[in-house]
Amino acid sequence: MIYNITSSIDSTMYEQHETRNTGLDPVLQIEKIISESSTNKTFNSRILTKFNLGYISQSILDGHINDTFRAKLKLYTHGAVAIPFTYDIQAYAVSQSWEMGIGKFTHNPKTTEGVSWTYRDGESVATAWQTASAAMATGTTASFVNLTNVGGGSWWTASGASQTFEYETTDLELDVTEIVTGWISGSWNGGQALANDGFIVLRPEIQESNGNNYGQLSFFSKESHTIYQPRLVCHWPDTVF
């Protein structure tokens, strides 16, 4: 059995535009900008996306899905500019709630209500992302702190999934089974309680913070109104002998 879930909310957070919300943009972006000033500052962007797991959760509870259940996060490429031959993309379980917002990158004046690099819910409520590390039973929740601007989400580092690209298509396909089963069960291995706050998709810390340029990756968002929206592809054998 294969069951596809399209994202319910998604957005891009831009480090260079700390309070800008882009919840209604038709694309999601992973990019890195290196300033040409003497300070050589770098500015990254990260993707947030969340899926409704109600059907999958109920099916597991009812016994219709067995322990061979697998889940993959898929993002489909809208465009790729100046990317290297080899690079990595990671995904983690977000550890705090966030609001999608109704902004677009092109809005002038910019929309600041909804998730951004600095805030989880917008400039008026101003709930900042927690960026300090906190030791947990199953790992650590944190944001990389060696960046130009503080913020950019928080996540469970024990939940990581990664994909290495080498001379291949830029479509993203990450095995996130451990994350999804943790959300459904409510914890990892009976440890820290978990809530489904979605995925954060980003480059590894070393690739975000070093002086190398990794180009720009654009993926279709839920607002693209195409068949290429972000998907959580769940599959399990359902054959009865």
Side-chain angles (χ1 to χ4, degrees):
M1 178 73 174
I2 298 176
Y3 186 76
N4 288 278
I5 309 171
T6 55
S7 61
S8 55
I9 56 174
D10 57 25
S11 188
T12 303
M13 301 179 294
Y14 292 91
E15 185 180 8
Q16 192 176 30
H17 307 277
E18 300 171 75
T19 60
R20 184 188 298 273
N21 173 261
T22 62
L24 292 187
D25 270 356
V27 295
L28 304 166
Q29 291 189 320
I30 296 289
E31 69 173 359
K32 179 178 179 181
I33 296 173
I34 302 175
S35 71
E36 298 179 356
S37 67
S38 58
T39 57
N40 291 322
K41 292 181 178 180
T42 61
F43 300 95
N44 294 275
S45 70
R46 296 167 178 169
I47 292 170
L48 295 172
T49 184
K50 182 178 177 180
F51 300 84
N52 187 333
L53 300 176
Y55 173 81
I56 296 298
S57 180
Q58 188 61 47
S59 296
I60 290 177
L61 184 65
D62 293 341
H64 300 315
I65 298 179
N66 56 37
D67 57 7
T68 58
F69 165 82
R70 308 297 296 176
K72 290 185 177 181
L73 173 63
K74 288 191 174 185
L75 298 181
Y76 298 93
T77 304
H78 176 272
V81 179
I83 59 172
F85 291 122
T86 302
Y87 60 95
D88 300 282
I89 299 293
Q90 298 177 333
Y92 294 90
V94 180
S95 60
Q96 295 176 279
S97 61
W98 49 280
E99 301 292 334
M100 186 179 85
I102 55 172
K104 290 187 176 182
F105 192 90
T106 55
H107 280 176
N108 187 16
K110 67 181 179 182
T111 300
T112 59
E113 297 312 309
V115 70
S116 65
W117 187 270
T118 301
Y119 301 117
R120 296 193 284 126
D121 45 18
E123 199 169 39
S124 61
V125 181
T127 307
W129 287 103
Q130 175 187 340
T131 56
S133 297
M136 297 294 180
T138 55
T140 302
T141 178
S143 175
F144 301 150
V145 295
N146 59 340
L147 300 177
T148 301
N149 294 320
V150 175
S154 61
W155 58 89
W156 298 99
T157 58
S159 68
S162 64
Q163 182 175 353
T164 298
F165 293 84
E166 295 182 354
Y167 307 94
E168 60 187 286
T169 176
T170 54
D171 286 351
L172 186 68
E173 184 174 313
L174 292 165
D175 188 333
V176 292
T177 304
E178 181 181 354
I179 298 175
V180 174
T181 54
W183 283 334
I184 292 172
S185 67
S187 68
W188 281 310
N189 301 319
Q192 176 69 33
L194 298 175
N196 174 14
D197 290 314
F199 299 97
I200 185 169
V201 182
L202 70 169
R203 289 195 175 99
E205 181 175 11
I206 184 62
Q207 293 183 13
E208 282 196 343
S209 60
N210 65 25
N212 298 331
N213 188 351
Y214 293 91
Q216 180 190 82
L217 289 167
S218 298
F219 303 97
F220 290 95
S221 80
K222 69 176 292 291
E223 300 299 328
S224 67
H225 305 296
T226 69
I227 62 172
Y228 302 110
Q229 297 177 32
R231 293 178 182 272
L232 189 64
V233 181
C234 305
H235 58 93
W236 62 94
D238 60 349
T239 304
V240 177
F241 293 97

